[in-house]
């Protein structure tokens, strides 16, 4: 297949939309998940925590692997795992199994970096910057469609219906990628050693940090358990930073943060992301909470979406 295939960028944008569709299966469905599995709303919010934790680790790992020669295989394998996770979540008989499906869906956050790597490699050099720009905003624009769509599907059927819709969408994406994205390894890609130590340290550090933050209010913020979990998380992340700065080909190039513009952009993105996530989470819970709580407005999931 030739490098200037006109269908490539639309196909990659379609693949990147899977991130938006799967991401919209989070906050809006928390009350429904709590009711279905007969657990508290705070416990049901682990469907968000597990998914984001998997995504936080998968994104840099997949981004790093997408620099290598097997870009299409990486995209396809990731989509297959997301597909299986969506099916597992739709069929899950228990909340524990449902969480496994949500963790598998977390790989969706790493899809966009892979599509950008494919666009950079195979798009027409004259239009590659436009292609990358389009892929970069796909998630933001797609979520604007994903939340109302999730509300409609879950309102008409059930939360399982929303996960089945995601499974069908991802299945179609896999078919499109198989047909349109060029086959074979990228011969121009660099062959460098993967940073397994960095990936493991990041996963363990972030996992313990999220565990401590999520459960701190239940355990007690100054309890021995909370202090131990958060302390170990900080130590692991500190070791991870030292490791990343020492090796030649790190999982994440932290040296770029020494540049003021890069550091400012990252802090701004973190701040905006946190504000957006908190705002959407609170709005969704308030919209669906019963009026008897004195803060809820008892809206069905359709209108909450």
């Amino acid at each position: 297949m030739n490098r200037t295939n006109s269908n490539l960028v639309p196909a990659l944008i379609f693949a990147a939309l899977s991130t938006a569709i799967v991401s919209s299966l989070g906050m809006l469905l928390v009350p429904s998940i709590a009711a279905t599995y007969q657990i508290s709303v705070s416990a049901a919010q682990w469907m968000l925590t597990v998914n984001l934790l998997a995504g936080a680790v998968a994104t840099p790992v997949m981004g790093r692997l997408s620099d290598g020669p097997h870009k299409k295989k990486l995209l396809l394998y990731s989509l297959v795992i997301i597909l299986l996770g969506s099916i597992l979540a739709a069929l899950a008989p228990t909340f524990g199994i449902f969480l496994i499906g949500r963790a598998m869906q977390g790989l969706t956050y790493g899809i966009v970096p892979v599509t950008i790597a494919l666009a950079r490699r195979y798009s027409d050099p004259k239009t590659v910057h436009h292609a990358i720009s389009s892929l970069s905003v796909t998630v933001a624009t797609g979520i604007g469609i994903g939340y109302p769509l999730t509300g409609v599907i879950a309102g008409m059927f059930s939360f399982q219906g929303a996960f089945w819709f995601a499974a069908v969408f991802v299945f179609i994406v896999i078919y499109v990628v198989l047909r349109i994205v060029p086959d074979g390894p990228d011969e121009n890609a660099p062959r460098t050693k993967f940073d397994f130590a960095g990936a493991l340290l990041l996963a363990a550090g972030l996992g313990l940090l999220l565990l401590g933050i999520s459960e701190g209010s239940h355990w007690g913020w100054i309890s021995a358990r909370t202090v131990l979990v958060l302390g170990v998380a900080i130590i692991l992340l500190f070791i991870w930073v030292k490791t990343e700065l020492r090796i030649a080909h790190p999982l994440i190039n932290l040296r770029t943060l020494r540049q003021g513009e890069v550091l400012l952009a990252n802090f701004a993105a973190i701040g905006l992301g946190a504000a957006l996530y908190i705002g959407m989470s609170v709005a969704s819970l308030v919209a669906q909470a019963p009026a008897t709580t004195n803060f809820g407005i008892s809206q069905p999931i359709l209108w909450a979406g």
Side-chain angles (χ1 to χ4, degrees), residues 157-175:
F157 303 101
S158 64
F159 82 84
Q160 288 96 337
F163 281 94
W164 279 118
F165 173 79
V168 172
F169 187 90
V170 173
F171 180 81
I172 296 171
V173 169
I174 292 172
Y175 174 77

Side-chain angles (χ1 to χ4, degrees), residues 23-32 45 47-48 52 102 143 147 276-285 288 301:
S23 297
S24 67
L25 300 174
M27 291 171 271
L28 196 62
L29 300 179
V30 168
S32 299
Q45 287 180 323
M47 68 176 285
L48 310 178
L52 289 172
R102 286 292 290 162
I143 285 177
Y147 270 85
L276 178 64
Y277 191 82
I278 291 170
M280 294 174 71
S281 180
V282 170
S284 174
L285 292 175
Q288 297 181 72
I301 193 170

Side-chain angles (χ1 to χ4, degrees), residues 93-109:
T94 66
F95 184 61
I97 294 175
F98 175 80
L99 287 181
I100 295 174
R102 286 292 290 162
M104 294 169 69
Q105 284 185 319
L107 268 67
T108 190
Y109 294 100

